[in-house]
Amino acid sequence: MTNADGSSSAGDGERADDAADRSAEADGTPGTADETGTAGEFGRQFAAAAEKSGLGALARDEKLSGRDLLTAVGGVRGILEALLPGLVFLIVYSGLTSFAGQDPQTALVPALAASVGLAVVFTAARLVTKGQPTQAIAGLVGVLASAALALWSGDARDNYVIGFYTNAAYALALTVSLFVGWPAIGLIVGFLMGDGVAWKQDKRKYRAAQFLTLVWIGLFVARLAVQLPFYLADNVEALGATRLIMGVPLYALVLVFSWLVVRAIYPSSARSGE
């Protein structure tokens, strides 16, 4: 069991280590104290980040709360910060190239300027209102880096390249977590639900953790599988549109599905007793 700040007591940690060792013996994977400690620390750190983002409240909801789901995907402001810079870039670029007849390289500069400018406005608004600027700053850095790459190459497609590497990195990290026997989604959910790493000794929870990790791998791989062909075909409009559709909307859909699975393996009676 974890405390309110995400730390665990010594007794709970020992029981979690024993549980992980017994699970490892059962499934044939090594379960040393070092491995359990490393996995546990990884889970605590990511669970703490997930808690701050609102995923913890969503995971523990008895009913699917629209408010908690909205918070988990960043809130109204977070959604606008995630979607609008990319949408503005796509609208300005498509409008200038398709309707105004401008050369793609000529249209690239104002399109990027509009996108970066909007990201700057969002970040400034966060700072002025003394809100949580982390998400806006992270978004601004991403927009700036993507814009710099596109300007350097002179190719509008390259405004989306960093996203390919990001999705590939997430997919690879989750895949590695499966192969080492510590599915990352199980670690995160375990600490969010106060289960620590004890879930690994429960076959049902362990298989659900593997399944959910595969689902999230599928999300990141699907983005690459759909968007890369548009990049290679130099179809900026289709690439931008699919990037928007497979961003927050698809993320929210996978979150809802994950919530349904978590609710199934952590029934309300078990959670109320924790």
Side-chain angles (χ1 to χ4, degrees):
M1 297 288 289
T2 58
N3 300 321
D5 62 356
S7 60
S8 61
S9 64
D12 289 336
E14 291 171 359
R15 287 194 294 273
D17 288 347
D18 291 341
D21 290 342
R22 288 195 297 272
S23 173
E25 291 172 359
D27 64 21
T29 58
T32 65
D34 286 345
E35 289 174 341
T36 301
T38 300
E41 183 58 30
F42 173 90
R44 275 188 289 271
Q45 291 177 359
F46 274 80
E51 190 71 54
K52 291 179 181 179
S53 71
L55 289 174
L58 178 67
R60 293 186 293 270
D61 263 354
E62 296 298 326
K63 295 181 179 180
L64 186 57
S65 164
R67 180 177 180 179
D68 283 341
L69 178 59
L70 184 62
T71 301
V73 296
V76 174
R77 180 183 284 188
I79 292 173
L80 293 178
E81 291 168 349
L83 292 179
L84 285 186
L87 180 60
V88 166
F89 171 81
L90 184 61
I91 291 174
V92 173
Y93 181 81
S94 299
L96 291 176
T97 55
S98 300
F99 299 103
Q102 287 192 7
D103 178 81
Q105 287 191 339
T106 303
L108 179 61
V109 174
L112 289 174
S115 177
V116 171
L118 189 56
V120 170
V121 169
F122 280 134
T123 304
R126 288 272 189 180
L127 295 175
V128 170
T129 59
K130 297 182 179 180
Q132 294 288 341
T134 306
Q135 183 174 353
I137 292 175
L140 176 59
V141 171
V143 171
L144 286 171
S146 297
L149 182 60
L151 283 174
W152 177 74
S153 67
D155 192 336
R157 297 180 302 166
D158 290 336
N159 191 43
Y160 301 101
V161 165
I162 292 178
F164 294 143
Y165 287 104
T166 301
N167 283 292
Y170 277 124
L172 178 61
L174 290 175
T175 301
V176 170
S177 76
L178 278 178
F179 277 107
V180 299
W182 287 96
I185 304 302
L187 280 168
I188 295 170
V189 170
F191 279 95
L192 287 177
M193 302 304 292
D195 203 19
V197 295
W199 55 270
K200 201 167 185 289
Q201 70 174 331
D202 186 317
K203 287 185 178 180
R204 185 165 176 259
K205 290 180 180 178
Y206 183 72
R207 288 171 181 170
Q210 290 178 310
F211 173 66
L212 282 179
T213 301
L214 282 171
V215 168
W216 282 92
I217 291 172
L219 166 68
F220 300 119
V221 171
R223 287 174 174 173
L224 293 171
V226 171
Q227 295 167 21
L228 271 173
F230 290 129
Y231 176 86
L232 296 174
D234 198 15
N235 191 334
V236 177
E237 289 78 9
L239 175 57
T242 53
R243 174 66 61 87
L244 292 171
I245 294 170
M246 302 184 78
V248 174
L250 186 58
Y251 174 75
L253 182 63
V254 175
L255 270 184
V256 171
F257 181 78
S258 300
W259 176 84
L260 291 171
V261 175
V262 171
R263 285 280 290 137
I265 62 175
Y266 287 95
S268 57
S269 59
R271 289 199 299 274
S272 62
E274 291 176 348

